[in-house]
Amino acid sequence: MGTVGDAVEMVDVRKTYQIGEPVHALDGVTLSIPRGSYTAIMGPSGSGKSTLMNLVGCLDTPTSGTVSIDGQEISGLSDRERTTLRGTTVGFVFQTFNLMPRLNALENVALPQLFRGVSREKRHERARDLLGRVGLGDRIDHQPNELSGGQRQRVALARALVNDPAIILADEPTGNLDSETEADVLDLFEEFHDAGTTMIVVTHERHVAERAERIIHLLDGEIEWIESLDESNSSSASDSRGETKGSEMGSNEGAIDHNDVARGDENGASTSDDGGR
Amino acid sequence: MRPLESLRLSWRSIRGHRLRSALTTLGVIIGIAAVIAFVSLGASLQAGIIGDISPDDQRNLYGWAADPDTEGGPLAGAQFVFSQNDLDNVSELEPVEAAYGYATIDAQSITYGGETRLQGDGLIAAGPSYIREGSLKEGRQFQMGEREAVINPAAAEQFDENVSVGDELEVTIVTGGTETLTVVGITDSSEGQSPFEGFEAAPRIYVPTDPFYVDQAVGPAAGNGDTDVDNGDRDVRFIAIVVEAPSADQDDVDRTRDAAIAYFESDQSDASEFLGDDLAVILQTSTELLQQLEDILGLLQNFIVGIAAISLVVGSIGIANIMLVSVTERTREIGIMKAVGAQNRDILTLFLSEAVILGVVGAVLGTALGLAVGYLGAWYIDLPLVYPFEYVVLAIAAGIGVGVISGLYPAWRAARTDPIDALRYE
Ligand SMILES: Nc1ncnc2c1ncn2[C@@H]1O[C@H](COP(=O)(O)OP(=O)(O)OP(=O)(O)O)[C@@H](O)[C@H]1O
Ligand SMILES: [Mg+2]
């Protein structure tokens, strides 16, 4: 399923935490996310959304199954290679911002490039440019505690972009924002998406998820169903797994056509849990 | 990550906790400062003392009687055993050039030309040849039995009108009375003439033991308790003596020493009645005496260096402790850095450089403090200052070493922090 060139490909991924009773944070997830697509992930609290994001972000490794990012299987990589992949291919936007408290906005945005050995001038030039793009050109000297929540989130966003990642992961990026800043952030996402970046956004809110091309619904560590959001049939998804698969495949081609940056003319995304195969 | 960048980041986090970092480095500062101060003082002291020994001092043997097990340098544990009679007899021995007693006479003040100056160091009583001909700038040696004195330039120049040869000085003695001295000579230097005096420059007045010591020794202040037995010359005892060999040649000096000790231990001498297992005559040249001083100094120095080493160990533990706290405190930051692509090695370098900066800053400040203290000390006791430069290099190396050793484990812990756990850390 899926193509070798997919941005993310997961096959029968399980993540089990052994604390007394084993907790299956992910329980056999198979999915592929094509390059240049815009995917939302929804599900109740504890359903495994963050766990999934950590795997895609190369922060974690699965207990079993395979996860491939940009064509590279992450459990086959050394810790070092995984870190490099994380630094170069993935941009993570965390729900809690996760900015360095003692660094100012500029230095926070430039941080990922520091670890790649980019010179100070080049780093700061790039960071200044990105901060300008997220509308914080006049806040580059401010430390995180001198910024509002929305501004911090935009700094985090700029930082995620600094290495020109192929994939942007955002775990509840608007959870702490008011509706106006939320709209700003979502507009930025749309902009990146239009520029060809693969977007994966975790959210609890329907209207945030609806900005995406499709929504993956998680429940208890399994994919419950996948909802395609074509302008025409955004509400036609059904609970039946077979139907889900079919409609998702159909709609996805449309999504790819719609996105001029994405490549690939076969099924961009396909997904199923074990039962669906 | 570039090394300079990690130093810059570490420096910022140190500056973020100024007080804590300062207190942490204190252990290292104190340790290094103690070593540098004592080593530079010791080196200055050695240079000062050895620089003061003149070659013709090598033929003088300085003697006293003490328990042979006593340590502590010249006159430590010395007793009043040598009579004038003994000294006269020793002078007669074939390999002996001269022998005389040495004593200080407590004086309060000196008056010259109507001016009075305090003279707490007292008068130095010895034989005429104690002041060598070569070290006289003017005049001659004093003579035994005369109320004459040789003074040094510091003593001569302390009055408005300089004292010159032929002038008379009034000396007030602590035990009562005044003495009138005729100055017959002035030395060329104000430093001490022998290890008995010490070598620092001070106003000094040299007089013959007869009459000055002999007169004073009958009083209890001179330390002779047997005053009620017999007040005659015969019972005046010296605590310190000088025996001169015919030349500075080591064989001559050894022969002189053997002859003098053989005499003192024989039944002929007055001293022999006191001598025994726990009281022996010790006769040594200045070089030998200084060797002892140096040994003591070296022992003291080793002791201080030992304490400093302990202080360094304590300092390292302090740095390690603070680094562990810092790693825990910054778990989340570590997680963030790893999440955006920091390799384990980057994190290790970051924390290790923080510890090394603390160690090096401590070492540099400690070195500066130690040199300052050493300089002040050397200036205070008027010694030529010798900077132990190899120790400065050593101190910086020690600072780096302390940083690496104390930072290694915390940095290793930081490096292997799991990014997910770290990001979850509250
Ligand atoms: N380190 C861990 N140790 C043990 N259990 C864990 C750990 N991390 C996650 N879990 C468990 O895995 C499950 C999925 O957690 P996850 O964080 O992925 O949920 P989520 O979907 O992101 O929830 P939320 O919407 O509340 O953020 C939860 O039941 C959680 O208790
Ligand atoms: Mg979550």
Side-chain angles (χ1 to χ4, degrees):
Chain A
M1 308 193 145
T3 59
V4 180
D6 279 346
V8 178
E9 190 174 354
M10 293 185 148
V11 179
D12 197 18
V13 168
R14 287 163 207 277
K15 182 76 191 178
T16 309
Y17 292 106
Q18 208 76 40
I19 297 177
E21 288 275 293
V23 176
H24 301 287
L26 287 180
D27 200 3
V29 170
T30 300
L31 72 87
S32 27
I33 295 174
R35 293 170 194 268
S37 64
Y38 191 157
T39 307
I41 298 175
M42 293 190 77
S45 187
S47 55
K49 305 183 294 295
S50 295
T51 307
L52 184 86
M53 292 295 261
N54 289 340
L55 289 174
V56 176
C58 301
L59 281 167
D60 210 350
T61 48
T63 312
S64 72
T66 59
V67 178
S68 303
I69 307 300
D70 216 18
Q72 300 190 64
E73 224 234 81
I74 62 166
S75 34
L77 299 178
S78 69
D79 183 55
R80 213 189 132 78
E81 291 166 327
R82 205 144 20 90
T83 304
T84 308
L85 187 65
R86 163 161 86 228
T88 54
T89 309
V90 186
F92 223 122
V93 184
F94 301 90
Q95 178 173 12
T96 47
F97 317 139
N98 281 338
L99 298 175
M100 298 284 279
R102 272 191 304 273
L103 303 184
N104 64 27
L106 189 74
E107 292 161 328
N108 260 296
V109 174
L111 190 66
Q113 293 204 320
L114 172 70
F115 299 115
R116 294 181 68 186
V118 178
S119 80
R120 198 173 154 83
E121 297 77 53
K122 282 196 178 146
R123 268 188 350 242
H124 284 187
E125 193 186 306
R126 169 101 177 122
R128 203 170 284 125
D129 178 47
L130 282 169
L131 281 168
R133 272 175 62 193
V134 299
L136 287 177
D138 54 345
R139 291 284 188 279
I140 59 171
D141 296 329
H142 289 233
Q143 295 201 339
N145 59 3
E146 298 160 347
L147 294 169
S148 75
Q151 288 168 335
R152 284 185 221 183
Q153 192 60 292
R154 279 183 278 165
V155 174
L157 205 57
R159 183 181 64 188
L161 289 171
V162 76
N163 280 334
D164 257 332
I167 307 168
I168 288 185
L169 303 171
D171 194 350
E172 295 183 40
T174 59
N176 291 321
L177 305 183
D178 64 57
S179 55
E180 200 172 319
T181 20
E182 181 188 273
D184 286 350
V185 168
L186 290 178
D187 287 346
L188 276 167
F189 281 5
E190 201 113 12
E191 223 177 275
F192 303 143
H193 176 227
D194 289 344
T197 312
T198 309
M199 303 293 302
I200 304 174
V201 179
V202 166
T203 183
H204 280 291
E205 290 166 284
R206 181 78 205 170
H207 70 275
V208 173
E210 277 171 353
R211 296 280 199 119
E213 293 160 355
R214 59 174 188 162
I215 304 173
I216 296 174
H217 291 270
L218 283 182
L219 184 63
D220 294 337
E222 296 181 46
I223 295 181
E224 190 188 19
W225 59 295
I226 293 182
E227 181 180 357
S228 289
L229 295 171
D230 227 328
E231 291 92 77
S232 52
N233 65 344
S234 62
S235 57
S236 71
S238 103
D239 279 348
S240 137
R241 279 171 181 154
E243 278 180 44
T244 302
K245 192 174 170 187
S247 71
E248 186 261 326
M249 282 171 132
S251 68
N252 213 61
E253 276 169 36
I256 290 169
D257 292 342
H258 168 74
N259 177 0
D260 48 14
V261 188
R263 58 222 91 120
D265 44 10
E266 45 192 308
N267 285 348
S270 65
T271 162
S272 80
D273 59 19
D274 282 345
R277 230 182 278 178
Chain B
M1 188 171 35
R2 302 172 174 205
L4 205 69
E5 302 277 7
S6 81
L7 279 180
R8 205 200 317 251
L9 264 184
S10 309
W11 178 241
R12 281 177 68 152
S13 87
I14 288 171
R15 283 203 356 208
H17 297 107
R18 272 170 224 265
L19 181 63
R20 182 163 102 183
S21 308
L23 290 177
T24 305
T25 51
L26 215 53
V28 180
I29 293 179
I30 292 172
I32 301 259
V35 175
I36 296 288
F38 276 87
V39 165
S40 65
L41 256 185
S44 303
L45 211 58
Q46 264 167 8
I49 291 172
I50 290 167
D52 277 332
I53 306 179
S54 58
D56 58 338
D57 187 33
Q58 301 298 317
R59 51 188 272 229
N60 282 10
L61 285 160
Y62 299 92
W64 65 95
D67 188 326
D69 295 334
T70 312
E71 292 201 12
L75 293 180
Q79 301 293 342
F80 292 83
V81 299
F82 305 101
S83 70
Q84 187 60 50
N85 191 29
D86 283 348
L87 291 166
D88 292 344
N89 288 340
V90 168
S91 315
E92 299 298 312
L93 296 173
E94 182 263 322
V96 174
E97 188 76 11
Y100 46 87
Y102 172 96
T104 54
I105 296 166
D106 295 334
Q108 271 169 359
S109 59
I110 311 168
T111 308
Y112 169 72
E115 287 178 66
T116 300
R117 293 282 180 273
L118 294 174
Q119 178 70 20
D121 288 346
L123 308 180
I124 292 155
S129 57
Y130 181 73
I131 309 293
R132 286 174 291 276
E133 297 275 10
S135 52
L136 279 168
K137 185 175 66 186
E138 284 174 58
R140 56 168 175 84
Q141 296 169 334
F142 53 71
Q143 285 176 358
M144 270 298 177
E146 303 293 336
R147 298 189 177 266
E148 293 177 344
V150 170
I151 64 176
N152 70 10
E157 287 156 15
Q158 63 183 330
F159 299 98
D160 282 349
E161 198 179 323
N162 285 359
V163 180
S164 46
V165 173
D167 291 344
E168 292 200 335
L169 301 176
E170 292 270 307
V171 177
T172 307
I173 308 288
V174 173
T175 50
T178 58
E179 297 275 1
T180 304
L181 312 175
T182 306
V183 176
V184 296
I186 296 179
T187 60
D188 55 0
S189 137
S190 295
E191 287 167 0
Q193 302 290 322
S194 84
F196 282 158
E197 296 171 45
F199 289 102
E200 74 279 12
R204 288 195 179 84
I205 295 169
Y206 304 96
V207 296
T209 50
D210 177 29
F212 296 99
Y213 181 68
V214 174
D215 283 358
Q216 294 304 315
V218 296
N224 190 338
D226 290 344
T227 48
D228 49 337
V229 178
D230 182 358
N231 282 358
D233 281 0
R234 181 157 295 267
D235 224 51
V236 170
R237 298 287 174 125
F238 288 96
I239 194 170
I241 58 169
V242 180
V243 179
E244 286 180 22
S247 81
D249 185 69
Q250 189 62 44
D251 290 344
D252 275 347
V253 171
D254 287 341
R255 261 180 351 113
T256 307
R257 177 174 13 224
D258 293 345
I261 288 180
Y263 169 78
F264 284 124
E265 286 175 350
S266 72
D267 292 342
Q268 288 169 267
S269 77
D270 295 332
S272 62
E273 58 171 304
F274 301 115
L275 299 178
D277 281 348
D278 50 1
L279 199 64
V281 175
I282 298 162
L283 277 174
Q284 295 190 314
T285 63
S286 338
T287 335
E288 287 161 352
L289 284 175
L290 286 176
Q291 191 54 50
Q292 282 189 348
L293 267 181
E294 259 174 52
D295 288 350
I296 293 166
L297 207 71
L299 209 68
L300 194 76
Q301 204 156 307
N302 286 349
F303 180 69
I304 299 285
V305 168
I307 289 182
I310 292 172
S311 163
L312 276 188
V313 169
V314 173
S316 317
I317 294 172
I319 291 183
N321 187 32
I322 280 303
M323 291 306 300
L324 282 176
V325 170
S326 177
V327 167
T328 310
E329 246 179 23
R330 284 153 64 194
T331 301
R332 212 181 158 82
E333 284 181 42
I334 297 168
I336 296 170
M337 289 191 282
K338 285 195 150 186
V340 301
Q343 299 284 357
N344 291 358
R345 202 191 41 202
D346 295 329
I347 305 291
L348 188 90
T349 319
L350 213 56
F351 281 87
L352 207 54
S353 28
E354 197 171 320
V356 169
I357 289 175
L358 287 176
V360 169
V361 166
V364 168
L365 292 182
T367 304
L369 183 66
L371 286 180
V373 170
Y375 176 81
L376 275 180
W379 169 78
Y380 184 70
I381 50 181
D382 214 7
L383 287 170
L385 189 68
V386 178
Y387 280 128
F389 278 112
E390 64 276 16
Y391 275 83
V392 172
V393 176
L394 218 64
I396 307 296
I400 295 175
V402 162
V404 169
I405 288 172
S406 55
L408 215 47
Y409 175 67
W412 177 77
R413 279 236 323 227
R416 35 158 261 163
T417 305
D418 181 66
I420 299 202
D421 291 346
L423 286 174
R424 215 189 292 273
Y425 184 86
E426 295 296 331

